[in-house]
Amino acid sequence: SDSEDHVLKVILLGEHGVGKSSLARIFGGIEDSHEAEEAGNTYDRSIIVDGEEACLLVFDIWEQDDSHWLHNQCMKMGDAYIIVYSVTDKASFEKASELRIQLRRERQTEDIPIILVGNKSDLVRSREVSIEEGRACAVVFDCKFIETSAALHHNVKDLFEGIVRQIRLRKDSK
Ligand code: GDP
Ligand code: MG
């Protein structure tokens, strides 16, 4: 249907503990700690970006189970991807690169929007990945980059608006 056509499916990827669910919950406007216990969730919300409404369906389901099926599904179904690592966890940064490579392999012929997100920027003293390393990685992997703090709600709005802009840019150039 027409309405389904402009719902943008956004998939969160990244290692356990990097802040995927925290970012998704902020997007969904849910701060309730009871719901926060759930392993996977989908958030449906409209936002205004540059004066135009966008309907986003954000999937926080990557860790719902460990099956190949789910992970394949995730790689196939997104209109856009948010690959999250924690700036306090080098291994999660390396995992983010792996995920980017996997995604490129899976969606070779498509130019899907991807934003690499370095979350937990508030944890200054336990930082293991610099902002320069994050930026450089995004250049290599040809995607956008932003650092966020879900704890401080810093840059979270910009992240989701950025995703919408990336999707629109590609649609307009077709
Ligand atoms: P997920 O496993 O990727 O879904 O990560 P969660 O959203 O469950 O977050 C894992 C832990 O990191 C939780 O204890 C969060 O409260 C914490 N966390 C998430 N984002 C941030 C952040 O930006 N700053 C800080 N200090 N902690 C965060
Ligand atoms: Mg989670």
Side-chain angles (χ1 to χ4, degrees):
S1 79
D2 235 24
S3 64
E4 274 167 9
D5 271 354
H6 57 248
V7 172
L8 308 171
K9 295 195 282 299
V10 178
I11 321 287
L12 282 152
L13 306 177
E15 201 152 84
H16 180 69
V18 296
K20 299 182 297 300
S21 299
S22 303
L23 293 167
R25 262 183 263 125
I26 293 170
F27 170 78
I30 295 159
E31 307 286 325
D32 189 284
S33 61
H34 180 73
E35 278 161 277
E37 295 303 311
E38 302 203 5
N41 259 312
T42 300
Y43 302 86
D44 182 351
R45 217 185 113 197
S46 290
I47 55 173
I48 308 284
V49 182
D50 304 325
E52 210 184 309
E53 188 178 44
C55 307
L56 294 191
L57 196 51
V58 171
F59 291 85
D60 176 31
I61 59 173
W62 183 246
E63 289 189 89
Q64 204 159 279
D65 65 58
D66 241 349
S67 68
H68 269 293
W69 185 87
L70 175 71
H71 286 179
N72 276 329
Q73 236 5 68
C74 284
M75 291 295 182
K76 282 188 187 122
M77 70 192 282
D79 296 311
Y81 290 84
I82 297 175
I83 303 180
V84 188
Y85 66 91
S86 166
V87 301
T88 65
D89 177 3
K90 193 86 176 186
S92 75
F93 181 59
E94 277 147 22
K95 179 68 183 180
S97 299
E98 260 174 58
L99 288 166
R100 175 68 186 93
I101 290 164
Q102 225 177 305
L103 198 52
R104 179 186 277 159
R105 202 180 296 133
E106 198 70 47
R107 308 284 293 269
Q108 234 157 25
T109 59
E110 299 161 85
D111 179 27
I112 6 158
I114 298 169
I115 299 193
L116 179 68
V117 178
N119 187 45
K120 307 198 187 184
S121 63
D122 58 292
L123 297 177
V124 176
R125 289 205 270 184
S126 39
R127 186 185 274 271
E128 290 182 359
V129 184
S130 71
I131 191 162
E132 291 78 18
E133 285 176 278
R135 253 189 226 125
C137 180
V139 169
V140 168
F141 287 110
D142 188 28
C143 57
K144 288 278 165 186
F145 173 69
I146 193 169
E147 278 199 354
T148 58
S149 166
L152 302 179
H153 288 215
H154 181 248
N155 270 352
V156 179
K157 194 163 167 272
D158 296 64
L159 164 62
F160 288 97
E161 290 179 358
I163 275 285
V164 171
R165 290 196 183 99
Q166 286 304 304
I167 295 171
R168 283 181 185 162
L169 273 174
R170 284 164 173 79
K171 284 215 172 105
D172 291 345
S173 66
K174 268 175 197 161

